[in-house]
Amino acid sequence: MFGARHMVEGNFAFLLLASGAAIASPVGGWLGSHGKIGTLFLSISVGMAAGVLLGTFTFEMIPTAGAAAGKIPTIAGFVVGFLTVYIFDLYINHGFIAGHESDEWHKLSRLHRIQRARGSKVTLLAGSTAIEELIEGLSIGVGLAADPNLGVMIGVAIMLDNVVEGMSIAEIIRADEGENASRSIYIWTWLIGLALFSSATVGWTFLSDIAPRMLGVLLAFGAGGMFYLTIADLLPRSAKTQYQQSAALAVAAGFLLIFALTNR
C-alpha cells in the first residue's frame, strides 16, 4: 500500500513539475507579446534565471551525480552534455562562432555573407531552445527519480528559465513580424514546451528504474548542457541589457537563493 501511494505521489509531483515547466514557455511568450519588455526588467529576470541555474547544478546536480556515479563518470557525463549543445551551436553557425568585439568577428561576418546560418534568427533561437528543453526536460525526470527534492529544485529553476526564454522569443518575433506576431509566438513557445514535457516524460517513465550510477551520469549530462546554455546565452544576454550592474546583482541573488534552499 505504501509503495502504491509513494508511486502516485511521485507521478503527481512529476506531472506538476513537467507541466509547469512546459507551460512556462508560452507564459513567457504571452508576456512578451503583450507590451514592451524593458531592458532593465529583462536584465534582472535573465540574470536571476542564470543565477538560479548556476546554483542548481553547482549545489545540487553535480554533487548528487558525483555521489551516485563517482567523480570520473560525472566529469564524463558533464563533458558529453556540454559538447552536445556546443556542437549543435556550431552546426547552426556553420562551425564558426565569434563575439562582436573579437579579432575574428570580421571572418564570421564574411562567412555568414557567403553561407547564412541554417535558418532565420527566430528559427535558430527557437530551434536551439527546443534542443535545450530536451536536455532540461530529461534533467527534470532523472532528477526527480534520483531525489524528489532535487527534482523540485531543477523543475523550479527551469520554469524561471523558460519564462525568460519565452519572452526573448516573443521579442524577436515581434521585431520581425510586427503586430501580427502573436500566432507565431504561441506556436513556437508551445512547441518548445511540448519538447520539454516529452523528454521529461521519457526521463521519468523509462529512466527512473535504472541503476543509481547511470542516473548520476545522466544528471551530469543534463548539468553540462545547462551549464553551456547558462554561460554562453543567459549571462551574456543579461549583461548586455544591464543598468547599474543589475545583471550581476540578479545573478548573485539567484545563486544565493539556491544555496539557501539546498539541504547540503
Side-chain angles (χ1 to χ4, degrees), residues 54-163:
L54 281 171
T56 299
F57 51 68
T58 299
F59 300 125
E60 291 288 346
M61 295 180 74
I62 294 297
T64 301
K71 185 170 290 187
I72 299 302
T74 297
I75 292 173
F78 184 94
V79 169
V80 172
F82 184 96
L83 290 178
T84 297
V85 185
Y86 174 58
I87 290 170
F88 177 77
D89 207 1
L90 286 176
Y91 170 76
I92 62 177
N93 288 285
H94 292 286
F96 196 85
I97 303 171
H100 284 212
E101 297 184 10
S102 69
D103 293 335
E104 293 77 17
W105 175 251
H106 68 283
K107 297 179 184 178
L108 179 62
S109 301
R110 187 166 59 249
L111 174 66
H112 281 180
R113 282 196 297 269
I114 300 171
Q115 288 182 307
R116 292 187 178 275
R118 292 180 168 94
S120 67
K121 191 173 183 181
V122 174
T123 304
L124 291 178
L125 178 59
S128 60
T129 302
I131 296 296
E132 169 191 348
E133 298 307 306
L134 293 175
I135 294 175
E136 290 184 342
L138 188 67
S139 299
I140 291 175
V142 171
L144 197 59
D147 180 352
N149 291 331
L150 173 60
V152 170
M153 193 80 71
I154 294 172
V156 171
I158 291 173
M159 283 182 205
L160 178 58
D161 176 45
N162 285 357
V163 170

Side-chain angles (χ1 to χ4, degrees), residues 10-244:
N11 288 334
F12 177 75
F14 163 74
L15 286 173
L16 193 63
L17 286 172
S19 300
I23 293 172
S25 183
V27 167
W30 182 85
L31 291 172
S33 66
H34 286 74
K36 175 72 175 176
I37 302 294
T39 56
L40 177 60
F41 175 79
L42 195 61
S43 175
I44 293 172
S45 58
V46 174
M48 178 67 73
V52 166
L53 287 174
L54 281 171
T56 299
F57 51 68
T58 299
F59 300 125
E60 291 288 346
M61 295 180 74
I62 294 297
T64 301
K71 185 170 290 187
I72 299 302
T74 297
I75 292 173
F78 184 94
V79 169
V80 172
F82 184 96
L83 290 178
T84 297
V85 185
Y86 174 58
I87 290 170
F88 177 77
D89 207 1
L90 286 176
Y91 170 76
I92 62 177
N93 288 285
H94 292 286
F96 196 85
I97 303 171
H100 284 212
E101 297 184 10
S102 69
D103 293 335
E104 293 77 17
W105 175 251
H106 68 283
K107 297 179 184 178
L108 179 62
S109 301
R110 187 166 59 249
L111 174 66
H112 281 180
R113 282 196 297 269
I114 300 171
Q115 288 182 307
R116 292 187 178 275
R118 292 180 168 94
S120 67
K121 191 173 183 181
V122 174
T123 304
L124 291 178
L125 178 59
S128 60
T129 302
I131 296 296
E132 169 191 348
E133 298 307 306
L134 293 175
I135 294 175
E136 290 184 342
L138 188 67
S139 299
I140 291 175
V142 171
L144 197 59
D147 180 352
N149 291 331
L150 173 60
V152 170
M153 193 80 71
I154 294 172
V156 171
I158 291 173
M159 283 182 205
L160 178 58
D161 176 45
N162 285 357
V163 170
V164 170
E165 293 286 1
M167 289 191 297
S168 298
I169 290 171
E171 284 284 294
I172 291 175
I173 294 177
R174 285 184 68 195
D176 280 357
E177 300 184 13
E179 296 302 319
N180 299 318
S182 295
R183 184 171 180 272
S184 296
I185 290 171
Y186 293 137
I187 289 174
W188 278 115
T189 53
W190 275 109
L191 284 175
I192 288 168
L194 180 61
L196 180 140
F197 188 84
S198 299
S199 64
T201 301
V202 169
W204 174 249
T205 304
F206 299 106
L207 302 177
S208 59
D209 293 329
I210 65 175
R213 186 179 180 87
M214 193 61 201
L215 271 179
V217 173
L218 289 172
L219 206 54
F221 173 85
M226 289 164 63
F227 181 88
Y228 178 86
L229 292 160
T230 302
I231 300 301
D233 180 32
L234 290 179
L235 288 176
R237 201 190 318 165
S238 179
K240 187 166 61 175
T241 55
Q242 72 174 340
Y243 173 72
Q244 300 285 50

